[in-house]
Amino acid sequence: MEEIIINLLKKATNLTEEEISNLIEIPPNPELGDYAFPCFILSSKLKKNPQEIAKSLADKIKISKEIDKIQSQGPYINFFLNSQELAEATIKKIQKEKEKYGSAKMKEKVLIESPGPNTNKPLHIGHARNIILAQSIKKLLEFLGKDVKIVDIINDRGVHICKSMIAYEKFGKGNTPEKAEKKSDHFVGDYYVKFFEEAKKNPKLDEEVHECLRKWESGDKDTLALWKKMNNWALQGFKETYDKFNLKTDKTYYESEIYQSGKEIILEQFKKGTIDKKKDGAYFADLTREGLGEKILLRGDGTSIYITQDLYLAILRKKEYNFDKLIYVVANEQNHHFKTLFTLLKLFGYKWADKLYHLNYGLVHLESGRLKSREGNIVDADDTIEITKNLALEEINKRYKDLSQKEKESRAMQIAMSAIRYFFLKIDRLKDLTFIPQESLSFEGNTGPYLLYTYARARSILKKAKYTNKKAYKIKEMPDMEKQLIFHIARFPQIVLHSYRNLSPNIIANYAYQIAKIFNELYHSDRILGSENEQFKLVLLDSFSQVLKNALSLLEIDTIDKM
């Protein structure tokens, strides 16, 4: 229905579909209509008062059968929908398209980089947000018809890796994850923390780190052997964590395999005169005009840095995949890095650099403050899942006595993952968040378990009614709550597009909560089974549950028919 209004406004204003879609509003008061369009944007174009424009357009636009009336209210045009026409059109569309309702066919090849861990420590809760965002964006883009792949970059070389190596070499004494009875990446991370503890007592350890890196780059046999052993421990642990999130990557790149190739690009650009060289031998680009200052691209000793690797990696991925868009899912701490990376690629003559996008997000905090992995003050992704799952299991044990332990464990994990995913996705990705497991697991309010419970309740009613959509139904005058539910499930395709344009899953997450809340209010205020218009209510309920399922699917949350 929103598409009809957009098309009417498109013909009357000459604005684009996207411009209208971004401006159209839902009035706070139903007396002001179902949709409202502000005319301020047209004021400067038409050189008229927005109130005059609104009145003129309201008189000009022809009313169709789907719209009861159009009127102006100050600088707004208000649209009042025909609720019965809306209900009939929406339900038919949902019943026909089912899991494809709200989808589209946009052809585009997209790469998403996630999560990009370092092999000196396990994935932390910040990586959890990274993975959850990447998976949701992938589902959203695929829902709209795009070919999407997730690619990973493992940062497995550098001073930070050498710190855990030095600590293990000095204090490990032949210990292994098996002997310590510890997950292998957590085992490696303990030595990263150990390094900083010991460096406070012995500052000379920092000198050994640089010597370790020099030996690694020169191919020292013993250094490489230790690196491979610890690297494998870290990678083995990462795989287990990826599996918990059901994260499947299409290709993994390793910094250790590509860092040299980045150097060649810098030297080539120096020959072209694009970049300069300092007296100490460091190569740099002067990006002062772009507001980014000077950027070192190779150190004076010839060693490379992150930007060196990222330049080559972007070029390599373009060659391998010929993508239409490459999305980097990286925290907003790296905003400057990616602005610099994209600017350098354009400076070096790569016209496709405008197809690169930094999907930034806020940091994740403990209730006690900011995460600091070097101090061990961190919540690992594994711990986050385990803590949340155990809390869910406690609730399941209270509620369900007849389930087997295996069923309880499975259901607890599903509820825990829905709680974690939804908690992270309902918040604007640009905002920092503090994850609180107990809050995320509540069966009331804006949470994943609340949405799962709502879906299960809807399907339970349908099952009890032995519902089939083959029975005929009549759309009579509907109470306000039914009208609201119809109106909101009709908006799902536009919600999907809005979320896509902003690459913001929180739009879908909060929409899911909104329709769930309306359904629950309707459920408590109006009888469904045995009511005068039971079949219509059941069809509406079936349509609602399908839309809720579609929305949750875009958040990578699987529904449960029975809680």
Side-chain angles (χ1 to χ4, degrees), residues 520-534:
N520 282 313
E521 288 176 19
L522 174 61
Y523 173 80
H524 288 298
S525 66
D526 193 14
R527 186 161 51 97
I528 296 175
L529 300 182
S531 64
E532 183 184 346
N533 200 14
E534 180 184 290

Side-chain angles (χ1 to χ4, degrees), residues 101-112:
Y101 176 66
S103 65
K105 294 180 180 178
M106 301 178 182
K107 291 189 176 179
E108 193 178 39
K109 189 175 287 185
V110 182
L111 294 189
I112 299 175

Side-chain angles (χ1 to χ4, degrees), residues 191-457:
Y191 286 97
Y192 183 64
V193 174
K194 180 71 172 173
F195 174 87
F196 288 96
E197 291 173 353
E198 295 298 327
K200 288 177 183 177
K201 308 172 196 172
N202 180 12
K204 287 186 178 181
L205 283 179
D206 284 315
E207 296 174 17
E208 293 187 39
V209 168
H210 291 285
E211 177 61 16
C212 174
L213 181 59
R214 188 195 64 75
K215 285 181 178 180
W216 185 92
E217 293 203 4
S218 65
D220 179 75
K221 185 178 177 181
D222 292 338
T223 303
L224 286 177
L226 176 60
W227 170 76
K228 285 177 182 176
K229 179 163 66 174
M230 297 190 73
N231 222 37
N232 287 335
W233 284 336
L235 294 173
Q236 180 187 328
F238 292 171
K239 184 183 182 307
E240 291 177 35
T241 306
Y242 285 12
D243 287 345
K244 290 175 184 177
F245 283 96
N246 195 29
L247 175 64
K248 295 176 176 63
T249 58
D250 293 276
K251 183 163 184 178
T252 300
Y253 299 85
Y254 297 89
E255 183 183 350
S256 58
E257 295 175 358
I258 62 174
Y259 80 103
Q260 289 285 7
S261 300
K263 292 182 181 181
E264 294 166 11
I265 293 170
I266 304 306
L267 297 175
E268 181 186 345
Q269 291 299 323
F270 176 68
K271 287 178 184 177
K272 290 181 178 180
T274 315
I275 60 175
D276 296 310
K277 191 175 183 180
K278 290 183 176 289
K279 290 180 180 178
D280 66 356
Y283 293 87
F284 74 101
D286 187 356
L287 304 178
T288 306
R289 287 184 181 180
E290 291 81 2
L292 299 168
E294 283 189 358
K295 179 61 184 176
I296 299 294
L297 304 175
L298 274 180
R299 297 186 185 96
D301 61 4
T303 55
S304 58
I305 53 179
Y306 274 132
I307 198 81
T308 323
Q309 160 198 300
D310 282 350
L311 286 164
Y312 172 72
L313 192 51
I315 296 165
L316 178 62
R317 286 169 173 166
K318 181 63 178 175
K319 182 180 177 182
E320 290 180 343
Y321 290 98
N322 193 27
F323 55 76
D324 297 302
K325 181 175 281 186
L326 168 55
I327 300 172
Y328 295 86
V329 183
V330 184
N332 56 22
E333 289 178 308
Q334 297 298 321
N335 286 353
H336 185 272
H337 172 84
F338 283 101
K339 284 179 185 175
T340 304
L341 174 64
F342 302 163
T343 302
L344 284 169
L345 285 166
K346 287 177 187 175
L347 179 68
F348 294 172
Y350 297 100
K351 294 179 181 179
W352 46 262
D354 60 359
K355 303 295 183 184
L356 308 180
Y357 182 83
H358 176 205
L359 187 83
N360 55 348
Y361 59 90
L363 303 178
V364 183
H365 299 287
L366 294 169
E367 288 184 81
S368 57
R370 185 173 175 179
L371 306 174
K372 294 179 182 177
S373 57
R374 66 182 61 186
E375 296 175 11
N377 175 27
I378 194 162
V379 173
D380 299 311
D382 297 313
D383 296 338
T384 302
I385 294 171
E386 194 63 23
I387 290 166
T388 312
K389 178 194 165 188
N390 287 338
L391 287 169
L393 194 57
E394 284 178 22
E395 287 301 312
I396 287 171
N397 283 328
K398 289 177 191 174
R399 294 166 185 255
Y400 307 103
K401 305 296 182 184
D402 56 338
L403 294 177
S404 68
Q405 189 59 33
K406 186 178 179 181
E407 287 175 310
K408 288 178 180 178
E409 291 279 343
S410 175
R411 194 172 294 186
M413 177 60 86
Q414 196 165 353
I415 291 170
M417 291 309 297
S418 79
I420 295 167
R421 288 185 189 281
Y422 190 80
F423 193 97
F424 284 179
L425 292 174
K426 73 179 180 180
I427 296 168
D428 185 327
R429 62 177 168 81
L430 296 175
K431 294 181 179 178
D432 289 3
L433 64 83
T434 301
F435 179 66
I436 307 169
Q438 293 88 341
E439 184 180 314
S440 76
L441 279 165
S442 174
F443 277 73
E444 296 179 4
N446 194 6
T447 69
Y450 170 79
L451 296 178
L452 289 186
Y453 181 71
T454 299
Y455 178 82
R457 169 184 276 174

Side-chain angles (χ1 to χ4, degrees), residues 94 98-101 139 143 414 451-452 454-456 458-459 489 492 508 511-512 515-516 541-561:
I94 295 169
K98 298 188 181 298
E99 69 276 358
K100 292 184 179 179
Y101 176 66
K139 288 296 287 280
F143 193 61
Q414 196 165 353
L451 296 178
L452 289 186
T454 299
Y455 178 82
R459 299 314 301 177
I489 63 175
F492 181 61
I508 291 170
Y511 166 82
I515 63 170
L541 179 55
D542 185 38
S543 299
F544 153 75
S545 65
Q546 182 67 64
V547 175
L548 180 59
K549 184 174 185 175
N550 290 5
L552 291 175
S553 173
L554 296 180
L555 307 178
E556 194 74 7
I557 294 174
D558 294 325
T559 51
I560 302 174
D561 282 352

Side-chain angles (χ1 to χ4, degrees), residues 491-530:
R491 294 189 65 229
F492 181 61
Q494 294 302 320
I495 291 291
V496 171
L497 288 175
H498 187 36
S499 180
Y500 159 65
R501 286 172 187 145
N502 295 278
L503 289 181
S504 298
N506 68 295
I507 293 170
I508 291 170
N510 288 291
Y511 166 82
Y513 173 59
Q514 189 177 33
I515 63 170
K517 195 165 61 167
I518 293 169
F519 161 71
N520 282 313
E521 288 176 19
L522 174 61
Y523 173 80
H524 288 298
S525 66
D526 193 14
R527 186 161 51 97
I528 296 175
L529 300 182

